[in-house]
Amino acid sequence: SLKRVVKDDTGLGDDEERTRVLDRLSEASLEENVARLLQTPLQATIMTLLLSEHGHAPRDRYLLFDAYFETIYKREAAKSKDVAGDLSDFRAEIHQLHEQVGLHLQRLSEESGHFDAALPKAMLHQLARDNFIAAGYPPEEAEQLAVGLSRTATERLVLLVPKAAGIGFEVRSLQEYMAARALTTCPEPDAIQRLHTIAPSAHWRNAWLFA
């Protein structure tokens, strides 16, 4: 199945290059963190593109998931002018939205005791809308932009997938990675205080390590 992914889905036309990337993918799949990102054909495609560009999978967990996210971003931006425009114009907002969803899901799972918590779809839209309003957009325009941004997050970047009655990250580690970014996107003293607050909690351990 990995051979089919490398041949059909990544655009690698040279047999020698495909073989080289497949060898990298097989070797990288032995790493626990990489294996978490190889559960579906699409994830294998993303990882193949990452290895083709970088030559290897970062061993540092944060850098690995950061590279994975950026590879998806580049892949989608190259597909069509409309998508590329949104991904370019609203890059900061898209990053912020994923970070906020990761943080909210971490809190929801801690409060409910369920490892695999889901965020209501309406809340995704509300977060996007509130971000645009906070950035100075009129409410009506913010509403329209939020619709497009929510669609991009769930249908184009595909990190967020349907879960129960809402949405969640397809890979738990991506949720923790995004939550860590949210925790540290602030002045350093505030970030340090946040990390002191969550440090005793086993539930936040992975997000804390990412941060």
Side-chain angles (χ1 to χ4, degrees):
S1 61
L2 290 181
K3 289 182 180 179
R4 188 178 303 114
V5 166
V6 173
K7 181 177 180 180
D8 298 337
D9 297 334
T10 60
L12 299 176
D14 181 79
D15 288 340
E16 184 177 346
E17 176 65 10
R18 283 202 300 267
T19 299
R20 183 160 52 248
V21 173
L22 180 60
D23 289 342
R24 293 173 187 167
L25 187 62
S26 298
E27 181 180 354
S29 67
L30 300 177
E31 296 285 337
E32 180 181 357
N33 290 317
V34 174
R36 294 175 184 174
L37 298 172
L38 290 173
Q39 300 302 308
T40 69
L42 178 58
Q43 290 173 7
T45 297
I46 302 302
M47 186 57 64
T48 300
L49 292 171
L50 188 159
L51 293 173
S52 177
E53 180 175 350
H54 295 278
H56 66 280
R59 292 188 177 274
D60 178 271
R61 292 178 72 243
Y62 183 92
L63 293 179
L64 171 64
F65 288 102
D66 191 61
Y68 183 83
F69 180 55
E70 290 303 318
T71 299
I72 292 178
Y73 217 95
K74 291 178 182 178
R75 176 178 184 263
E76 291 304 316
K79 283 189 173 181
S80 71
K81 291 183 179 180
D82 291 340
V83 174
D86 288 343
L87 293 176
S88 176
D89 294 343
F90 300 112
R91 184 181 183 89
E93 289 81 1
I94 291 171
H95 279 242
Q96 182 183 26
L97 185 61
H98 282 82
E99 292 164 8
Q100 290 174 324
V101 171
L103 189 61
H104 277 285
L105 286 171
Q106 281 290 116
R107 289 170 174 165
L108 285 173
S109 58
E110 181 181 36
E111 292 168 1
S112 66
H114 295 299
F115 181 80
D116 204 21
L119 187 79
K121 290 183 179 180
M123 190 170 184
L124 176 70
H125 176 82
Q126 181 181 336
L127 286 171
R129 181 179 181 276
D130 290 348
N131 290 341
F132 280 118
I133 290 176
Y137 288 87
E140 184 175 342
E141 186 177 359
E143 178 71 24
Q144 294 175 346
L145 290 171
V147 171
L149 200 67
S150 299
R151 184 180 299 115
T152 296
T154 54
E155 297 179 10
R156 305 305 305 185
L157 295 179
V158 300
L159 297 175
L160 297 170
V161 298
K163 285 192 175 183
I167 59 167
F169 283 92
E170 187 172 30
V171 179
R172 169 76 182 198
S173 293
L174 284 168
Q175 172 184 311
E176 294 162 342
Y177 156 75
M178 288 296 178
R181 287 175 46 150
L183 287 167
T184 54
T185 305
C186 59
E188 185 175 338
D190 294 335
I192 292 173
Q193 181 57 50
R194 291 175 180 179
L195 295 179
H196 274 297
T197 300
I198 65 172
S201 172
H203 173 83
W204 288 87
R205 182 177 184 275
N206 290 330
W208 190 90
L209 289 171
F210 270 126

